[in-house]
């Protein structure tokens, strides 16, 4: 049993991670400021003696004694992180500094939930970890993209300078139950619009591609990475290497929901990447990990969740 801190633990990914860690018998401290997280996501854990909840913003130091830290705190959808871009950058950078300082003090291993956004609008497809990216440093998405890139820099500098045990994981599009209905992400947007019988909004011509990983697969990869040898720091891509166009995704969701929503096309937002697909060769070789939930069954589970949530 380990004592484990999960920042952003009441969010979409964080709450599923807390479920997994408590289920594995660990003592879990969940920290969240509820900007995008919700107590509803972890309400079922509140009576468990192995789970503790603390309201806290990671831009301020935290003094606790833990063995492992999963640093997931940061809004991850464009509509949320662009709402307060300065605070988004602070969360990524100051949050990383504070959590790395904690890890250094207590000798904890720490995993950074980085993102495929560090690759920007990639000129290489699929994206391997060795690709340095194609990022606009002054655009409307830069608060998130560059904030996460700076966090990666801090993690590796703490590793080189202070021998902190780090893990840097680049998360590609993930979906599943507990996504927010208004988070602006394509899967939740399409499902909510379809269930409400509204037109499905597609930006651009709909031929841009994404790959989607079901949340259970993502959490499995995250836990395996944390438990991997100290020398394997990453960065490592975790996501689904099978990609799909936005039009194909919308048509699949219309079929699965049984609605008659029509497709409506709008202008592509600034700096929106045309393609996003991970090369997961490193995750396969070092972690023995690859996604196991196909898109169809994963979307079905997510649709059932939103039927209840709405």
């Amino acid at each position: 049993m380990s004592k484990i801190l999960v920042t952003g633990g009441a969010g979409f990914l964080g709450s599923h991670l807390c479920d997994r860690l408590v289920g594995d018998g660990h003592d879990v401290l969940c920290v969240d400021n509820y900007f995008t997280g919700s107590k509803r996501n972890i309400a079922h854990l509140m009576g468990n003696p192995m789970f503790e909840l603390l309201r806290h913003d990671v831009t301020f130091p935290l003094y606790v004694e833990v063995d492992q830290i999963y640093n997931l705190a940061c809004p991850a959808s464009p509509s949320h992180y662009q709402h307060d871009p300065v605070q988004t950058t602070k969360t990524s950078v100051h949050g990383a500094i504070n959590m790395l300082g904690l890890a250094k003090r207590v000798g904890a291993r720490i995993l950074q939930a980085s993102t495929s956004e560090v690759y920007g609008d990639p000129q290489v497809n699929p994206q391997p970890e060795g690709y340095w990216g194609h990022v606009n440093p002054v655009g409307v998405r830069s608060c998130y993209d560059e904030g996460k890139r700076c966090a990666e820099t801090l993690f590796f500098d703490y590793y080189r300078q202070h021998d902190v045990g780090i893990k840097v994981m680049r998360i590609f599009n993930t979906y599943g139950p507990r996504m927010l209905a208004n988070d602006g992400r394509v899967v939740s947007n399409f499902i909510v619009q379809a269930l409400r019988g509204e037109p499905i909004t597609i930006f651009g011509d709909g031929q841009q591609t994404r790959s989607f990983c079901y949340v259970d697969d993502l959490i499995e990869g995250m836990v395996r990475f944390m438990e991997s040898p100290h020398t394997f720091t990453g960065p490592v891509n975790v996501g689904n290497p099978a990609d799909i166009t936005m039009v194909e995704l919308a048509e699949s969701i219309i079929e699965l929901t049984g609605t008659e929503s029509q497709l409506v096309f709008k202008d592509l937002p600034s700096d929106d990447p045309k393609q996003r697909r991970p090369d997961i060769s490193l995750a396969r070789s070092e972690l023995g990990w690859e996604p196991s939930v196909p898109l169809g069954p994963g979307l079905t589970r997510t649709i059932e969740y939103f039927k209840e949530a709405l």
Side-chain angles (χ1 to χ4, degrees):
M1 182 186 73
S2 297
K3 189 169 183 64
I4 302 177
L5 167 63
V6 179
T7 71
F12 164 48
L13 292 182
S15 63
H16 284 279
L17 177 61
C18 287
D19 280 344
R20 169 63 184 269
L21 296 174
V22 170
D24 287 348
H26 298 297
D27 189 358
V28 175
L29 173 59
C30 169
V31 166
D32 208 295
N33 70 347
Y34 308 121
F35 177 59
T36 57
S38 170
K39 290 181 182 178
R40 290 188 297 273
N41 289 337
I42 40 83
H44 60 285
L45 293 171
M46 293 298 287
N48 193 310
M50 306 306 293
F51 180 80
E52 183 180 358
L53 177 63
L54 174 66
R55 183 170 192 147
H56 181 80
D57 188 322
V58 295
T59 60
F60 298 92
L62 180 63
Y63 301 99
V64 293
E65 305 297 321
V66 292
D67 304 306
Q68 295 179 356
I69 303 167
Y70 287 85
N71 187 36
L72 276 62
C74 190
S77 68
S79 63
H80 289 147
Y81 65 65
Q82 291 173 16
H83 173 73
D84 190 345
V86 171
Q87 186 62 27
T88 295
T89 303
K90 285 183 176 180
T91 300
S92 288
V93 178
H94 292 183
I97 291 170
N98 288 329
M99 292 304 108
L100 285 163
L102 173 61
K104 177 187 172 187
R105 182 179 69 82
V106 301
R109 179 176 287 190
I110 180 169
L111 182 146
Q112 167 68 1
S114 191
T115 171
S116 60
E117 296 292 341
V118 300
Y119 299 121
D121 187 2
Q123 298 172 315
V124 173
N125 193 46
Q127 294 85 58
E129 291 85 355
Y131 176 54
W132 289 357
H134 178 231
V135 179
N136 178 359
V138 294
V140 295
R141 301 169 67 103
S142 305
C143 58
Y144 185 70
D145 300 4
E146 296 289 29
K148 289 288 191 177
R149 285 164 69 95
C150 184
E152 287 196 11
T153 300
L154 287 162
F155 265 70
F156 278 93
D157 284 339
Y158 265 78
Y159 170 68
R160 286 184 287 257
Q161 188 171 340
H162 302 297
D163 196 33
V164 172
I166 67 162
K167 305 284 180 180
V168 175
M169 177 175 168
R170 291 176 178 165
I171 298 171
F172 282 68
N173 291 52
T174 306
Y175 71 99
R178 301 182 197 158
M179 296 182 79
L180 292 173
N182 65 343
D183 68 2
R185 300 189 205 193
V186 64
V187 170
S188 52
N189 271 7
F190 286 4
I191 291 175
V192 169
Q193 288 174 332
L195 289 176
R196 289 175 173 167
E198 301 170 351
I200 291 182
T201 304
I202 294 180
F203 295 100
D205 61 6
Q207 295 307 304
Q208 64 268 41
T209 58
R210 296 289 187 275
S211 61
F212 298 99
C213 183
Y214 189 67
V215 62
D216 291 355
D217 284 334
L218 189 283
I219 296 303
E220 174 65 27
M222 187 176 285
V223 171
R224 287 194 191 191
F225 188 23
M226 178 64 93
E227 299 301 330
S228 66
H230 174 79
T231 53
F232 182 51
T233 61
V236 61
N237 293 334
V238 177
N240 193 329
D243 57 0
I244 185 174
T245 69
M246 295 302 91
V247 168
E248 290 171 333
L249 176 65
E251 290 172 343
S252 295
I253 289 173
I254 289 171
E255 180 180 353
L256 290 169
T257 55
T259 62
E260 298 181 357
S261 296
Q262 301 299 309
L263 306 185
V264 174
F265 295 85
K266 295 188 177 181
D267 292 340
L268 196 66
S270 176
D271 299 325
D272 193 66
K274 311 299 186 300
Q275 54 192 6
R276 187 58 60 71
R277 177 182 169 219
D279 180 333
I280 62 167
S281 302
L282 190 59
R284 284 191 177 114
S285 63
E286 296 294 330
L287 305 177
W289 178 91
E290 61 183 331
S292 62
V293 180
L295 184 61
L299 286 176
T300 299
R301 297 175 199 173
T302 308
I303 289 166
E304 290 305 311
Y305 166 77
F306 274 110
K307 285 181 179 177
E308 295 291 329
L310 293 176

